């Protein structure tokens, strides 16, 4: 998941379109490396959708707890704030325990996504 504010509420950030654009660039770059697919969006909305879809149950709340991403965005007033949850292991699709041979491909795709996102940023806009 490539998420951005907010986790604390279903509200969207003031620069929603820009963070969505950057996130989509990142996940497209990741997909080109190993075919991995990541969801994009405000954290509370993405997590809520996953709870409803993946676990076939209604989420108990529409929000996650607050996060350092939300804090950085609201209090420190950074322009870009993201939370990236790396993909699950291929061998063990129910968790994050990876076999050694899965680690390097994960690192490569994650770096490619980060690099694409950073290069697409417009700090002066």
């Amino acid at each position: 998941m490539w998420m951005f504010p907010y986790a604390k509420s279903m509200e969207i950030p003031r620069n929603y379109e820009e963070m969505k654009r950057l996130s989509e660039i990142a996940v497209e770059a990741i997909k080109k490396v190993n075919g991995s697919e990541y969801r994009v969006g405000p954290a509370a909305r993405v997590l809520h959708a996953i709870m409803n879809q993946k676990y076939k149950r209604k989420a108990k709340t529409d929000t996650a707890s607050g996060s350092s991403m939300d804090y950085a965005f609201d209090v420190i007033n950074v322009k870009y704030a993201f939370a990236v949850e790396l993909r699950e292991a291929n061998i063990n699709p129910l968790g994050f325990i990876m076999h050694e041979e899965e680690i390097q491909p994960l690192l490569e795709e994650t770096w490619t996504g980060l690099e694409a996102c950073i290069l697409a940023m417009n700090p002066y806009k």
Side-chain angles (χ1 to χ4, degrees):
M1 293 178 277
W2 197 284
M3 301 173 289
F4 48 87
Y6 287 100
K8 65 182 180 182
S9 73
M10 295 296 266
E11 178 184 355
I12 61 172
R14 61 188 172 273
N15 61 342
Y16 170 82
E17 291 299 327
E18 175 68 358
M19 285 207 276
K20 183 178 179 218
R21 180 186 74 82
L22 292 169
S23 298
E24 288 172 346
I25 287 169
V27 299
E28 187 59 36
I30 288 170
K31 188 174 183 178
K32 289 177 183 175
V33 175
N34 294 321
S36 298
E37 295 190 15
Y38 282 62
R39 290 178 185 240
V40 166
R45 293 174 184 224
V46 170
L47 295 170
H48 181 78
I50 287 172
M51 286 297 293
N52 289 337
Q53 182 182 46
K54 186 173 184 178
Y55 300 107
K56 308 284 190 247
R57 61 185 166 136
K58 175 91 170 96
K60 292 180 183 176
T61 179
D62 287 341
T63 63
S65 61
S67 67
S68 57
M69 169 187 64
D70 290 352
Y71 180 86
F73 190 72
D74 279 344
V75 178
I76 301 172
N77 204 31
V78 298
K79 184 172 182 177
Y80 303 115
F82 298 99
V84 179
E85 185 170 299
L86 304 178
R87 66 170 167 80
E88 293 178 340
N90 292 326
I91 295 170
N92 178 18
L94 298 176
F96 298 99
I97 298 172
M98 295 193 155
H99 286 245
E100 188 175 335
E101 64 270 12
E102 292 183 274
I103 296 171
Q104 188 64 37
L106 176 66
L107 294 172
E108 290 170 3
E109 70 185 28
T110 304
W111 174 251
T112 300
L114 286 169
E115 181 180 43
C117 180
I118 291 166
L119 292 174
M121 289 179 178
N122 186 354
Y124 304 108
K125 187 174 179 184

